[in-house]
Amino acid sequence: DAGVTQSPTHLIKTRGQQVTLRCSPKSGHDTVSWYQQALGQGPQFIFQYYEEEERQRGNFPDRFSGHQFPNYSSELNVNALLLGDSALYLCASCIRDNSYEQYFGPGTRLTVT
Amino acid sequence: GQSLEQPSEVTAVEGAIVQINCTYQTSGFYGLSWYQQHDGGAPTFLSYNALDGLEETGRFSSFLSRSDSYGYLLLQELQMKDSASYFCAVRMDSSYKLIFGSGTRLLVRP
């Protein structure tokens, strides 16, 4: 049973560029959430997708956008990258209303220079 | 605003018992989850409390007191592999997101 997978593992971008991160949820899961985790901090909720729609959003600017596909996989897009966007980006999946029990992927380490 | 407080670091000896506390202030509360994260790894789900009381899962137990806005994670028979960061996370009413604390770094010594 495949768990949550994310790609790429690491990414280095320059300020002002755009980036797309990808996530495949755990088999049987239909809901995907994205989190940003700075070093030494807890994950911060970016948004959650269910049935291909953004169901809830955290306190992140519109530069952060996402998408969910019919097969439940998801993308996170970040435009106009800032140095402060450097972080570990985690994707988590769960079954619809069981958001208390989320399964996290290994993350994408984004470095903005 | 929403806030969760946990100790930043805890040190314990192999074989001992350690308790990691979490207090929260949120507008609405649905339940408290605990996650473990090893350095360089992904957070993994440990336990969930929606009702007051103790939930036991092997060596790990989690407790919740809704009236005190307080919970804790209890780790028994500590092993070296338990050295990791532990996060409490709150799900609020009518919300799907999890709000995470800043985490407690547990160091288990031989």
Side-chain angles (χ1 to χ4, degrees):
Chain A
D1 178 23
V4 179
T5 60
Q6 292 186 243
S7 63
T9 307
H10 296 85
L11 204 51
I12 300 175
K13 289 286 189 178
T14 305
R15 269 181 305 176
Q17 286 188 315
Q18 176 263 342
V19 68
T20 297
L21 311 181
R22 296 177 175 81
C23 169
S24 290
K26 179 178 169 61
S27 177
H29 287 184
D30 56 8
T31 302
V32 173
S33 301
W34 286 92
Y35 292 83
Q36 180 193 67
Q37 186 176 26
L39 208 58
Q41 298 296 315
Q44 299 291 311
F45 178 81
I46 302 175
F47 40 55
Q48 184 180 87
Y49 277 84
Y50 172 69
E51 291 189 338
E52 302 179 52
E53 292 193 358
E54 184 183 289
R55 183 156 74 165
Q56 189 163 15
R57 188 178 184 89
N59 296 325
F60 280 80
D62 292 344
R63 297 186 299 108
F64 289 78
S65 63
H67 189 76
Q68 186 179 33
F69 299 93
N71 66 353
Y72 307 120
S73 67
S74 177
E75 289 183 348
L76 164 65
N77 301 291
V78 187
N79 294 322
L81 284 167
L82 304 175
L83 294 179
D85 294 332
S86 295
L88 180 67
Y89 288 85
L90 294 162
C91 170
S93 71
C94 65
I95 299 173
R96 194 178 170 182
D97 291 327
N98 291 353
S99 60
Y100 60 86
E101 182 176 354
Q102 300 201 12
Y103 289 76
F104 284 82
T108 294
R109 172 70 63 186
L110 173 65
T111 302
V112 182
T113 62
Chain B
Q2 332 293 345
S3 70
L4 286 82
E5 291 195 13
Q6 311 176 226
S8 57
E9 287 187 5
V10 172
T11 302
V13 178
E14 194 174 14
I17 299 173
V18 72
Q19 178 174 312
I20 298 174
N21 299 320
C22 173
T23 58
Y24 57 88
Q25 282 187 314
T26 59
S27 53
F29 177 84
Y30 198 84
L32 184 71
S33 299
W34 288 91
Y35 286 79
Q36 177 193 61
Q37 186 177 29
H38 287 97
D39 285 348
T44 56
F45 173 78
L46 293 176
S47 67
Y48 174 68
N49 296 70
L51 303 175
D52 286 357
L54 192 68
E55 293 282 342
E56 298 183 65
T57 309
R59 294 188 298 113
F60 294 1
S61 303
S62 58
F63 172 83
L64 175 65
S65 169
R66 295 174 69 108
S67 60
D68 294 324
S69 297
Y70 164 76
Y72 66 72
L73 180 69
L74 191 72
L75 296 83
Q76 303 181 67
E77 302 173 14
L78 281 173
Q79 301 175 8
M80 299 296 291
K81 68 178 182 179
D82 296 331
S83 292
S85 292
Y86 293 84
F87 296 91
C88 58
V90 164
R91 178 184 170 186
M92 300 188 300
D93 287 335
S94 303
S95 172
Y96 301 102
K97 69 180 182 181
L98 285 180
I99 301 171
F100 282 80
S102 296
T104 298
R105 194 171 181 84
L106 171 64
L107 176 62
V108 180
R109 293 179 166 176

